[in-house]
Amino acid sequence: MSYSSTVSVMNEDQRAHLRRRLEQERDRVVGRLARLSRELADIQDALKLLDETPDRYGLDERTGVPIPFDHLERVPWARTVQPHEEATDSLAVDADVLSAYRNERYAG
């Protein structure tokens, strides 16, 4: 018996449920990709700054205060001593993923 001739083992409610789950997973992954894309851009900006104006690398872009080395060791693309308010993602994403991202990115 070929696969295409088999009878569906899911009812309409189950398919609808799985569609919602797939959409949730897609949204979670899209949110994560957006954060990773921003992080990659921040890393590229930090590398450019380090290459082009190394005397400005490691200074808080808002205050000019040096960012502690231990913070830069953990987050070498850090732009500020304290994270920006807008670092909170407006997308509906898994709270654990966002929390882990914040802890990794802005530890210290």
Side-chain angles (χ1 to χ4, degrees):
M1 179 187 278
S2 71
Y3 180 77
S4 60
S5 65
T6 61
V7 176
S8 176
V9 294
M10 289 184 282
N11 63 37
E12 195 172 316
D13 289 340
Q14 290 169 322
R15 282 192 300 274
H17 170 76
L18 291 175
R19 170 174 284 287
R20 286 190 301 275
R21 284 288 297 125
L22 286 166
E23 290 169 347
Q24 289 170 348
E25 284 301 305
R26 178 195 58 206
D27 293 346
R28 184 185 64 78
V29 169
V30 165
R32 187 169 184 206
L33 285 172
R35 287 188 306 279
L36 289 172
S37 179
R38 285 191 306 270
E39 188 171 318
L40 177 59
D42 288 347
I43 291 167
Q44 289 172 321
D45 289 347
L47 284 167
K48 183 177 179 181
L49 185 66
L50 187 59
D51 289 340
E52 295 179 4
T53 53
D55 55 318
R56 287 185 27 215
Y57 176 78
L59 298 178
D60 186 304
E61 67 182 16
R62 293 179 294 169
T63 66
V65 173
I67 299 170
F69 181 81
D70 63 328
H71 181 69
L72 288 171
E73 176 65 23
R74 286 188 306 274
V75 186
W77 58 91
R79 294 175 178 233
T80 63
V81 175
Q82 297 295 320
H84 287 268
E85 298 289 320
E86 62 268 14
T88 302
D89 224 19
S90 60
L91 297 173
V93 295
D94 184 340
D96 292 337
V97 173
L98 185 55
S99 176
Y101 167 78
R102 284 187 187 134
N103 290 340
E104 177 184 318
R105 184 154 188 199
Y106 298 116

